[in-house]
Amino acid sequence: MDFGYSARTVELRDRVGSFMDTHVLPAEGVYDRQIAEAADPHALPPIMVELKEKARAEGLWNLFLAHGGWGAGLTNLEYAPLAELMGRSIIGNEVFNCSAPDTGNMELLALFGTAEQRERWLKPLLDARIRSCFAMTEPDVASSDARNIRTRITRDGDHYVVDGRKWYTSGILDPDCELIILMGVSDPDAPAYRQQSMVLIPRHAPGVTVLRDLPMFGYTDRLGHGEVLFENVRVPASNLLGGEGEGFALAQGRLGPGRMHYAMRAVGFAERALRLMCERTLSRVAFGGPLADQGVVREWIARSRIEIEQLRLLVLKSAWLMDTVGNAAARLEVAAIKVAALDVAHRVVDRAVQAHGAAGVSDDTVLARLFSITRALKIADGPDEVHLRTVARQELARYKEKAR
């Protein structure tokens, strides 16, 4: 295994790190203030427009996308340390046009879209002229099992008709959202993992109704997490993404690199929290000396550093495997990093909250927001239990083979 950074990664890492320190981190307060003062809390703040223009002018744009010459062409291993740096700020990914759900949607379009679909949707997404959302999760069923999905995609001549209800459709409240990629059941009588398909739905198509915006632990996200009703929504048959019955396979292809992105961003979250914890405990005095002199605080700091280093190596191994043997062969590691990343990030953030005392649960630092995000992401993108099931099943399979 070779986790060494390529010359290109070293160069981009320096540039992204410098951009984060110089432009992004100092802009966080401005970003929050502009959202608070805006008539629409989901509208793009002027500071983000400015940051995006600067990042694009410096060539720090679409770094996540490797397929078909559409993006920077980095491997998973090359992109991983850049994702970590972006993850040190909640707004960092969007600055470089590397934020979910657009990243996964752009990968789907680059890999499986037709020439027409790429022209209409992929190019504007790459230019950040539009945003998109992904509609899979449903409120009435356990959507971590794709076989439970109830939204129907019915063929009607030259069209598909979509009926169903989704929620936590992240990004749909953004005024710039123009595309919904929806996963639903196109053939309920097919084998379990051939029942689902994906279709491309214009955001403002007749029959698409956003019922409400769902908060996340009380926070209203700028992109919005919508509960959405689809009633007799008609789209041309050419809006099918991939082929009929390929929805589950497409979803799996979308999640491999996406989980690595999430995991490295979680490393970034943890690094930010650890830094804040160290700065806080060195500056606050209690019981006759700095908090950093207390044994329990030193244990928090030491364990946090050890856990972050372990996590980073595991994610880099997964990225290397995806590059060298493919996503399917790296399935165990990809499942493992989803669990490990949010476990570590949430634990480190929790320690930092404790070290900050009352300030840790306020909005005076980013920690309360990081706490809610890291907890929510243990459910999003497939709950931890699903990934633990995958790891355990593959581990047991090795011993079943030996027993034969």
Side-chain angles (χ1 to χ4, degrees):
M1 288 177 280
D2 182 3
F3 299 161
Y5 295 155
S6 68
R8 190 178 183 200
T9 298
V10 170
E11 184 252 338
L12 284 171
R13 190 168 178 264
D14 289 343
R15 292 171 57 200
V16 170
S18 176
F19 195 99
M20 290 290 297
D21 291 339
T22 304
H23 301 294
V24 179
L25 293 174
E28 289 178 331
V30 179
Y31 179 92
D32 289 339
R33 184 172 66 253
Q34 289 180 350
I35 287 180
E37 294 172 351
D40 182 354
H42 302 296
L44 190 66
I47 188 64
M48 180 56 74
V49 176
E50 179 183 328
L51 290 170
K52 284 186 171 185
E53 289 174 352
K54 288 179 179 178
R56 187 166 189 174
E58 293 193 18
L60 302 175
W61 195 251
N62 293 328
L63 298 172
F64 74 96
L65 190 56
H67 307 295
W70 294 105
L74 300 174
T75 65
N76 288 294
L77 187 60
E78 287 176 320
Y79 179 66
L82 309 181
E84 176 186 338
L85 289 173
M86 296 174 197
R88 296 191 184 193
S89 172
I90 291 171
I91 68 173
N93 303 302
E94 186 175 3
V95 170
F96 305 96
N97 208 35
C98 293
S99 59
D102 287 342
T103 47
N105 290 345
M106 285 190 272
E107 284 178 331
L108 281 175
L109 289 164
L111 285 169
F112 307 109
T114 64
E116 179 185 355
Q117 291 168 352
R118 291 170 178 172
E119 185 68 28
R120 181 175 179 185
W121 304 114
L122 179 57
K123 287 184 177 181
L125 284 167
L126 289 167
D127 290 337
R129 288 184 278 121
I130 66 171
R131 296 298 303 266
S132 64
C133 61
F134 187 72
M136 177 174 174
T137 305
E138 299 182 1
D140 298 326
V141 297
S143 305
S144 56
D145 183 350
R147 296 170 299 180
N148 288 337
I149 288 176
R150 294 292 177 264
T151 296
R152 288 300 307 273
I153 301 171
T154 307
R155 184 70 182 253
D156 182 18
D158 294 332
H159 290 80
Y160 285 102
V161 179
V162 180
D163 290 282
R165 189 159 63 107
K166 300 287 187 177
W167 73 344
Y168 281 94
T169 301
S170 302
I172 196 164
L173 273 297
D174 188 326
D176 293 328
C177 180
E178 295 291 342
L179 171 65
I180 304 167
I181 299 184
L182 178 140
M183 184 163 168
V185 175
S186 54
D187 185 357
D189 298 321
Y193 295 106
R194 293 286 302 175
Q195 295 178 5
Q196 305 86 10
S197 297
M198 288 189 189
V199 291
L200 307 176
I201 302 175
R203 161 65 182 88
H204 300 288
V208 177
T209 305
V210 177
L211 301 176
R212 57 174 173 155
D213 180 21
L214 295 152
M216 188 171 67
F217 284 107
Y219 286 101
T220 298
D221 189 81
R222 190 193 74 75
L223 295 179
H225 304 290
E227 180 174 356
V228 190
L229 183 64
F230 297 86
E231 295 179 295
N232 197 36
V233 178
R234 300 180 67 85
V235 296
S238 59
N239 281 28
L240 183 71
L241 185 61
E244 281 198 18
E246 294 180 2
F248 183 82
L250 266 62
Q252 291 302 109
R254 181 183 191 272
L255 292 175
R259 284 179 185 140
M260 186 277 289
H261 299 174
Y262 270 124
M264 286 306 286
R265 289 168 191 163
V267 175
F269 292 161
E271 286 284 7
R272 178 87 178 269
L274 178 56
R275 189 187 81 186
L276 290 172
M277 177 164 45
C278 290
E279 291 172 349
R280 178 76 172 189
T281 57
L282 284 168
S283 65
R284 303 292 274 197
V285 174
F287 307 108
L291 284 175
D293 287 348
Q294 301 295 323
V296 66
V297 174
R298 292 197 169 197
E299 181 177 345
W300 291 346
I301 292 168
R303 289 192 180 279
S304 296
R305 171 49 60 204
I306 291 167
E307 291 164 3
I308 290 170
E309 296 302 320
Q310 290 173 326
L311 172 61
R312 183 183 289 110
L313 287 172
L314 180 59
V315 183
L316 291 177
K317 177 189 176 184
S318 301
W320 177 79
L321 284 171
M322 284 192 286
D323 290 337
T324 54
V325 297
N327 295 357
R331 188 179 178 195
L332 185 149
E333 287 78 11
V334 170
I337 61 173
K338 200 283 180 180
V339 177
L342 278 307
D343 271 353
V344 169
H346 192 64
R347 199 156 51 238
V348 175
V349 170
D350 185 52
R351 292 170 185 148
V353 168
Q354 192 72 9
H356 279 71
V361 298
S362 75
D363 287 336
D364 286 358
T365 75
V366 72
L367 290 171
R369 188 67 184 271
L370 288 178
F371 187 91
S372 72
I373 290 173
T374 53
R375 183 60 188 86
L377 287 177
K378 290 171 71 65
I379 299 170
D381 194 26
D384 285 0
E385 291 73 19
V386 171
H387 301 291
L388 289 168
R389 177 174 174 265
T390 297
V391 173
R393 187 166 53 197
Q394 293 202 44
E395 189 69 12
L396 288 168
R398 295 167 51 202
Y399 293 91
K400 288 179 181 177
E401 288 296 322
K402 291 179 182 179
R404 287 177 181 173

